[in-house]
Amino acid sequence: MKHLDETTRTELEAAAFRHLLRHLDEHKEVQNIDLMILADFCRNCLSKWLVGAAEERGAELDYETAREYVYGMPYGEWKEKYQLDATPEQQAAFQAQQAQKQARKKNNGESSQND
């Protein structure tokens, strides 16, 4: 994508991000814990990244507004309608994934702060 001008690249990235949000919206059965186990991010992470991007550009965007954008509805409503309690297996897999992440960071000399 190096051959593209910055505006076009940004527009393509934005389109891909909107497509990701639609895809997640179409697959509400995919729980945040599943995303965290497999990809180390979830819908809440996307919301935080949006807030961070806004802050970098001097734009005002609060976390709840960003979450409503990512979830397509207020978070409390999404949670009530679609979020299931994590199973013991999911909790164990998440803890194992987090332990592996911390071990990698330690081995690479990185800090242990969350992304």
Side-chain angles (χ1 to χ4, degrees):
M1 291 197 5
K2 293 179 182 180
H3 68 286
L4 299 172
D5 63 85
E6 188 171 343
T7 299
T8 301
R9 183 180 51 80
T10 300
E11 290 171 354
L12 294 175
E13 291 167 347
F17 179 74
R18 288 188 296 270
H19 187 91
L20 171 63
L21 293 180
R22 281 192 307 275
H23 186 78
L24 289 172
D25 190 52
E26 291 168 3
H27 294 279
K28 291 178 179 76
E29 75 279 4
V30 177
Q31 297 292 298
N32 281 335
I33 194 163
D34 297 323
L35 291 169
M36 290 298 296
I37 293 165
L38 296 173
D40 198 30
F41 83 96
C42 69
R43 293 167 179 90
N44 290 323
C45 296
L46 293 172
S47 304
K48 290 175 186 176
W49 298 341
L50 280 171
V51 171
E55 289 173 356
E56 289 174 4
R57 288 156 183 79
E60 189 174 316
L61 178 63
D62 66 86
Y63 181 55
E64 289 306 317
T65 301
R67 283 209 304 188
E68 187 167 338
Y69 176 72
V70 168
Y71 283 91
M73 64 185 69
Y75 175 66
E77 182 181 335
W78 191 94
K79 188 175 174 180
E80 184 179 306
K81 287 182 176 182
Y82 304 108
Q83 185 167 306
L84 305 174
D85 289 337
T87 66
E89 294 81 11
Q90 287 172 315
Q91 291 173 354
F94 178 73
Q95 292 303 321
Q97 187 269 357
Q98 291 297 297
Q100 289 175 349
K101 179 179 172 182
Q102 292 304 316
R104 282 192 306 271
K105 284 184 177 185
K106 184 178 179 182
N107 291 337
N108 292 330
E110 298 176 25
S111 70
S112 62
Q113 290 180 320
N114 290 334
D115 296 337

